[in-house]
Amino acid sequence: MNYKASAQFILSSIGGERNINSVTHCATRLRFVLNDESLVNEDALNESDDVIQAFSKSGQYQIIIGTEVPKVYNALTEITESSISDKDSNEDIQQNKGNLVSRFFNTVAAIFTPLLPALAGAGILRGILLLLAQIGWIDEESGTYVILSSTSMSIFYFLPIMLAFTSAKRFKVNPYIAAVIGASLIHPDLIKLLGDDGNGTTTSFMGIPVILMNYSSTVIPAILAIWAYSYLERFLEKYIWQNMQIILVPLISFVIIVPVTVTLFGPFGVYVGEWIANAINWMSESNGWLTGAIVGGVWNIFVVFGLQWAVNPIMISNVSTIGFDKIVPLTAAANFGMAGAVFAVLIKSRNKKMKSFSLSALLSIFLAGITEPAIYGVGMKLKRPFIGALIGGAVGGAYIGGMGVKSYAFVFGGLTTLPAFVGATFVYYIIGLAICFVAGAIATYLLGFNDASMDTSKVDNTRNFENNKDEKNKKHNRDSKQVIAKSPIKGDVISLSEIEDGVFSNKLLGDGVAIIPESNEVYAPISGEVVTVFPTKHAYGIRSYNGIELLVHLGIDTVELNGEHFESLVTQGQHVNQGDKIATFDIEKIKPNYKVVTPVIVTNSNEFDIKSINLHNKVNKDKGIIDAQKKPNK
């Protein structure tokens, strides 16, 4: 297949790039969310040799390609003007799903994530300047200091503009109009009205009293303003003649949203932000030791569930309004508690792969303050190190909180961000991090962990086929004309024709059988190489040593779960033996919304004679389901 040509053909057949709202792919198909499905030339797609089938289903336009879909997808992203990523596509598809709390966290994350590099860079620059000024290497009255200082503080001063822009991206409205709304809140003429009295000064707008506030460095007012603007823009575009929208939509939006913001959203946002900041600062002042232990101990749990996005705006607001924050050091305590736990695994583990991964995860924390590799790849996998990390974060966090450590920028706690903490409490911060690291390491070392827990479900890539290093046996397996595929799941065997999905029932992807599962555990049906592990963890491709290619597809349309309720135990390129556990999935949680029937497909069926075994019988991982005989070469 010429992937670029296929991608170009598909793009033109679905109405061009402008018709694409989002696109992602699963094990076999491209999944589009289109703006107008009437523009699709479905007949042309279905007549193409590169397309197995094209159809609309469940709000998506699906194009079945087969196992080469990732290459077609990559080619599609290369020829489009704007890069289309799985992450963005999944956000587009999922943004209105889930409960109110998860949608809130997703929204906050989407608004603040694009700003994190700028916030971190500006914060570290500010910390370096403070350090240089304290040791006398730079004069605070010099032009050099003023230029660099204004650079480091500009993102905080102009935060309403930045947040208006990213909020517009999230709420899918014009970001440039949104930026003007944000800029209007910090215009010099508006600030001048404050006079010497500051926040609380009153003026009027068309006879309506307005309490003036200083909106520079604020967080909530701009976000609320653009949230309201998103509804107004969609309303106006619905009723205003299209040729006049370019003038009237921004005009009416400015006239309505800015006054409403300074009258209602602005004061509300400023006061709420101040109340939250004052409450947290009161907790820190009242009992910093207890506050530090709690935040330092639970922060990594927050990261696991994505709850940190509810707290990050508070830290950013504190830094931008009062000049410092006391929560940032406590999040760093959690980071170094995790670092200590990972270090204990690094020195105690006997598994070479875990040692290597632990080292890279440790460097990720030290150099970037990023803990996700350590949390998911070490802590959650081996379990007890995660507990050790929580203990380390709580112990060191108590000291950091008790000593009132301050951060003068919003940063992720690592060694490279130390300048952000330079000040009167800097020494206490360093001591606190050392306590976190040592306590986390000792707790993990004493709690112990089981390396075997990682290996029982995975097979080392260096292990030879079927635990046999005899190359003659390996050659025999490659030359064998027959493969008996065993069931990957305990359950009942049914024919593909019984599946209520035309792609599988019509054998468009290949011949095989399906399993109605009774167990959450998934095993390798054949010995060979794992050639495909999809990011959503719902589909696995394995190639045997004599060339048969088997696809295990866990459920129907389960790609939409985006990996939720699935756990992968293998990686692409790994060699497995028949019967090795490769995945688990929570059937009971998937069943209410998706069919859990699992097709097992020989994707290169044209090269084999396929015979179903044990049809309509109960099977387990030791029972055969497919007898594949290699066809003779012509």
Side-chain angles (χ1 to χ4, degrees):
M1 183 186 294
N2 184 327
Y3 303 114
K4 189 171 183 179
S6 298
Q8 186 64 61
F9 166 74
I10 291 171
L11 187 63
S12 61
S13 298
I14 62 171
E17 183 180 354
R18 291 186 177 181
N19 198 32
I20 301 175
N21 183 287
S22 63
V23 59
T24 185
H25 70 86
C26 60
T28 58
R29 62 191 81 182
L30 293 170
R31 294 171 176 263
F32 292 90
V33 176
L34 300 177
N35 297 318
D36 185 358
E37 289 192 1
S38 66
L39 300 178
V40 176
N41 188 344
E42 190 165 296
D43 291 337
L45 287 169
N46 284 320
E47 290 173 3
S48 170
D49 293 335
D50 294 339
V51 175
I52 297 175
Q53 190 175 354
F55 57 91
S56 178
K57 181 181 178 182
S58 303
Q60 296 180 347
Y61 196 84
Q62 303 181 18
I63 300 178
I64 312 301
I65 304 294
T67 54
E68 292 183 308
V69 68
K71 296 178 181 178
V72 176
Y73 174 84
N74 290 337
L76 182 65
T77 60
E78 288 177 3
I79 63 175
T80 52
E81 292 180 4
S82 57
S83 175
I84 306 170
S85 68
D86 286 348
K87 179 180 178 182
D88 291 340
S89 301
N90 287 330
E91 283 181 355
D92 285 338
I93 295 170
Q94 299 295 332
Q95 64 177 342
N96 293 319
K97 295 185 178 181
N99 58 43
L100 186 62
V101 174
S102 65
R103 288 167 60 186
F104 169 76
F105 288 145
N106 289 338
T107 297
V108 174
I111 291 172
F112 282 92
T113 297
L115 296 178
L116 294 184
L119 287 166
I124 293 174
L125 176 58
R126 186 183 179 201
I128 292 173
L129 282 174
L130 291 173
L131 176 62
L132 294 177
Q134 286 185 10
I135 62 179
W137 286 11
I138 189 171
D139 183 2
E140 294 185 25
E141 302 297 327
S142 67
T144 301
Y145 181 91
V146 172
I147 291 172
L148 293 178
S149 179
S150 63
T151 302
S152 68
M153 294 303 295
S154 61
I155 187 170
F156 298 104
Y157 183 87
F158 295 105
L159 199 55
I161 301 176
M162 307 286 188
L163 289 174
F165 193 88
T166 57
S167 297
K169 292 285 189 179
R170 176 58 180 172
F171 298 133
K172 298 191 180 302
V173 292
N174 190 313
Y176 303 101
I177 294 177
V180 173
I181 293 172
S184 67
L185 299 178
I186 57 174
H187 191 277
D189 288 345
L190 185 63
I191 294 176
K192 190 185 299 182
L193 287 176
L194 290 171
D196 298 328
D197 297 330
N199 288 345
T201 302
T202 59
T203 186
S204 65
F205 176 78
M206 298 180 67
I208 302 172
V210 176
I211 301 175
L212 293 173
M213 314 294 293
N214 188 345
Y215 296 112
S216 63
S217 304
T218 57
V219 172
I220 300 176
I223 296 176
L224 289 177
I226 305 310
W227 171 75
Y229 163 59
S230 68
Y231 286 95
L232 178 62
E233 183 185 89
R234 282 188 280 271
F235 175 81
L236 294 175
E237 289 181 345
K238 184 177 180 180
Y239 292 102
I240 294 177
W241 187 35
Q242 189 169 3
N243 288 345
M244 296 299 295
Q245 287 181 8
I246 191 172
I247 298 173
L248 294 182
V249 170
L251 172 62
I252 297 173
S253 297
F254 293 149
V255 170
I256 294 177
I257 295 298
V258 174
V260 168
T261 300
V262 297
T263 303
L264 180 63
F265 297 148
F268 171 78
V270 171
Y271 286 136
V272 168
E274 289 180 353
W275 291 337
I276 294 173
N278 290 336
I280 293 172
N281 291 331
W282 175 83
M283 287 176 57
S284 299
E285 296 296 334
S286 299
N287 195 327
W289 296 87
L290 180 60
T291 303
I294 293 173
V295 177
V298 304
W299 189 257
N300 281 318
I301 299 176
F302 277 25
V303 174
V304 171
F305 292 100
L307 301 178
Q308 79 275 21
W309 292 108
V311 186
N312 285 350
I314 299 172
M315 295 184 277
I316 294 170
S317 179
N318 281 340
V319 171
S320 61
T321 54
I322 62 178
F324 64 86
D325 178 73
K326 292 185 177 181
I327 307 176
V328 173
L330 303 181
T331 68
N335 288 3
F336 275 75
M338 180 59 67
V342 172
F343 179 74
V345 173
L346 175 64
I347 62 176
K348 191 174 184 179
S349 174
R350 296 181 180 179
N351 183 278
K352 292 182 179 179
K353 285 187 176 180
M354 180 51 72
K355 280 182 173 290
S356 176
F357 185 84
S358 298
L359 178 60
S360 63
L362 187 62
L363 292 175
S364 176
I365 298 174
F366 283 162
L367 299 180
I370 302 298
T371 56
E372 279 79 0
I375 290 174
Y376 297 109
V378 180
M380 301 297 287
K381 180 176 288 185
L382 301 180
K383 297 179 177 63
R384 290 181 182 176
F386 189 72
I387 298 174
L390 301 185
I391 294 172
V395 173
Y399 177 83
I400 289 174
M403 302 308 293
V405 174
K406 298 177 182 179
S407 171
Y408 299 94
F410 176 77
V411 294
F412 298 138
L415 296 179
T416 56
T417 58
L418 290 177
F421 301 86
V422 171
T425 58
F426 182 64
V427 174
Y428 303 130
Y429 177 66
I430 298 297
I431 296 173
L433 295 186
I435 294 173
C436 296
F437 184 85
V438 173
I442 292 175
T444 301
Y445 199 91
L446 294 177
L447 288 171
F449 51 89
N450 187 6
D451 270 334
S453 67
M454 180 189 68
D455 296 329
T456 53
S457 60
K458 290 193 177 185
V459 181
D460 197 308
N461 286 339
T462 61
R463 190 172 74 185
N464 281 323
F465 181 63
E466 292 181 340
N467 286 323
N468 197 325
K469 297 181 180 179
D470 188 344
E471 290 299 325
K472 291 182 179 179
N473 284 348
K474 220 172 181 183
K475 184 177 185 300
H476 171 76
N477 287 316
R478 284 195 297 265
D479 294 340
S480 175
K481 303 297 182 183
Q482 181 187 28
V483 173
I484 302 294
K486 296 182 179 179
S487 178
I489 310 175
K490 180 181 178 182
D492 296 310
V493 184
I494 63 172
S495 67
L496 291 179
S497 61
E498 298 176 65
I499 299 178
E500 296 179 6
D501 187 294
V503 174
F504 296 110
S505 60
N506 294 323
K507 301 181 181 181
L508 297 178
L509 300 176
D511 203 351
V513 297
I515 310 295
I516 300 176
E518 298 177 356
S519 169
N520 291 335
E521 298 177 332
V522 185
Y523 300 91
I526 57 175
S527 297
E529 180 185 356
V530 179
V531 293
T532 305
V533 177
F534 279 82
T536 47
K537 297 175 282 191
H538 77 293
Y540 299 82
I542 303 175
R543 183 191 297 121
S544 74
Y545 285 91
N546 72 340
I548 189 173
E549 297 177 359
L550 219 60
L551 175 68
V552 180
H553 198 286
L554 305 176
I556 306 299
D557 289 329
T558 46
V559 66
E560 297 172 0
L561 289 169
N562 199 29
E564 188 176 2
H565 308 314
F566 293 89
E567 181 182 4
S568 176
L569 303 175
V570 292
T571 57
Q572 187 170 325
Q574 184 173 321
H575 292 267
V576 295
N577 285 341
Q578 194 173 56
D580 286 330
K581 190 189 293 186
I582 61 173
T584 61
F585 66 127
D586 195 326
I587 295 174
E588 296 306 317
K589 290 183 179 178
I590 297 172
K591 265 184 179 180
N593 299 307
Y594 299 90
K595 295 181 176 64
V596 293
V597 59
T598 297
V600 184
I601 307 294
V602 180
T603 55
N604 56 342
S605 298
N606 59 315
E607 300 176 18
F608 292 83
D609 290 318
I610 308 300
K611 179 182 177 182
S612 301
I613 306 175
N614 284 317
L615 203 60
H616 299 111
N617 289 328
K618 287 191 177 296
V619 294
N620 55 35
K621 67 174 183 175
D622 298 320
K623 297 289 186 179
I625 56 172
I626 296 174
D627 181 353
Q629 297 277 349
K630 201 166 190 177
K631 294 178 180 179
N633 294 327
K634 295 183 179 180

